[in-house]
Structure formats: C-alpha cells, structure tokens
Amino acid sequence: MSEEGLSLNRGSDRSEQRGGRARRMLEGALQAIAFLSGIVLVGLMLLVAISVFFRYALNQPILGSQELVQLGMVVMVMLAMPNTAYRSLHIRVDILDRVLGSIGCFLTDMLARLLGMAVLSILVVKSWAKMLDALEYEDVTNMLELPVWVAYASISAGMALYAGVLLLQLISQFGNWREYRE
C-alpha cells in the first residue's frame, strides 16, 4: 500500500508528526524482519545447493539438512508476510469488484481485514503458548536437537505484525472511504 494509503492522521501538525513517526517505526520494523527473512532465504538456498551437491556428487548426504530447511522455511515465510502485506505485494483476486460496486468493495475489504485480524490473533495466541511450552520442556528437533521455540516465536512475531498491518490498513480504509465511491 502506498504511503498515502496508510496515512493515519488528518488534522494538526502534531498528530501528523506522531502518525508519521509511528509509520516510520512500523516500516523500519517491517524492513528489518524482511531483511532477516532474506538472509534466511539465501542461507537456505546455499544449504540446499550444497546438500544436493554432497548427496549426488559425493554420495555423502548432509545429515540434518532437512531439519534446518524446515525450520528455516517457517522463519523465512513468517517474517516475510507482514512486509509483503504492507507493501501490497501479495495476490489480490478482484473478480467480484465490478459486480459488487464501490460500497461492496469497501465492505468486503473491511470484512476481509477484520476476519484476517481475528484469525491472526488466534494464531498469535496459540503459537505464543506453544513457544512457551517448547521453552519449558526444551523441545528440540530429532536429529540436530535444534530448539523448536524459534519457529513458534517467528510465527508469533510475524503474525502479530501482520495483524498490525491489517489494523493500520483498516484505519486507512475508513480515512479514505470516499475513494471507494469513485
């Protein structure tokens, strides 16, 4: 979504400064986790390439590489999703937009964001509880004994930020409701 699309404040200079600062902080956090997600992706690509080379060229598989890839994929995807949603880089199906009209689009966008926030909130609460259990019982993977709480923590963090993005988009939607009539 463009910067104008997420503008949360209308009115005084002071409220615009706070809104701009909050938006910049959110964008900074989203860029940081997207960067971290990219680093994980590059590491996973290298691991898979080296693992394939070792398996087929040297007939010596790297034990535990599958566990690393599985955990890494969870971390990478969960940390990339909030930034993808914020920048509107995800797939959007607009088959019914012409049929529903501007008011219908406004309502379906609002409903989709509200349902998304509800589902993500449940996911955050459940994954946070699983993370605490994994920490308490020291859950690890079978082969490499990697801590699994990291995966649950990335799910919680990524989905909490994603819910925050949806909330900001919902607020922005109400601030720009006139655009739906055009």
Side-chain angles (χ1 to χ4, degrees), residues 63-83:
L63 295 177
S65 63
Q66 184 177 359
E67 285 182 357
L68 285 170
V69 170
Q70 288 172 341
L71 282 176
M73 289 296 288
V74 170
V75 171
M76 181 201 62
V77 170
M78 292 298 126
L79 296 182
M81 285 178 65
N83 191 48

Side-chain angles (χ1 to χ4, degrees), residues 23-45:
R23 188 178 66 240
R24 285 191 303 274
M25 287 176 54
L26 175 67
E27 287 176 350
L30 291 172
Q31 286 178 344
I33 65 167
F35 183 75
L36 178 61
S37 178
I39 290 172
V40 172
L41 175 62
V42 170
L44 289 174
M45 290 187 319

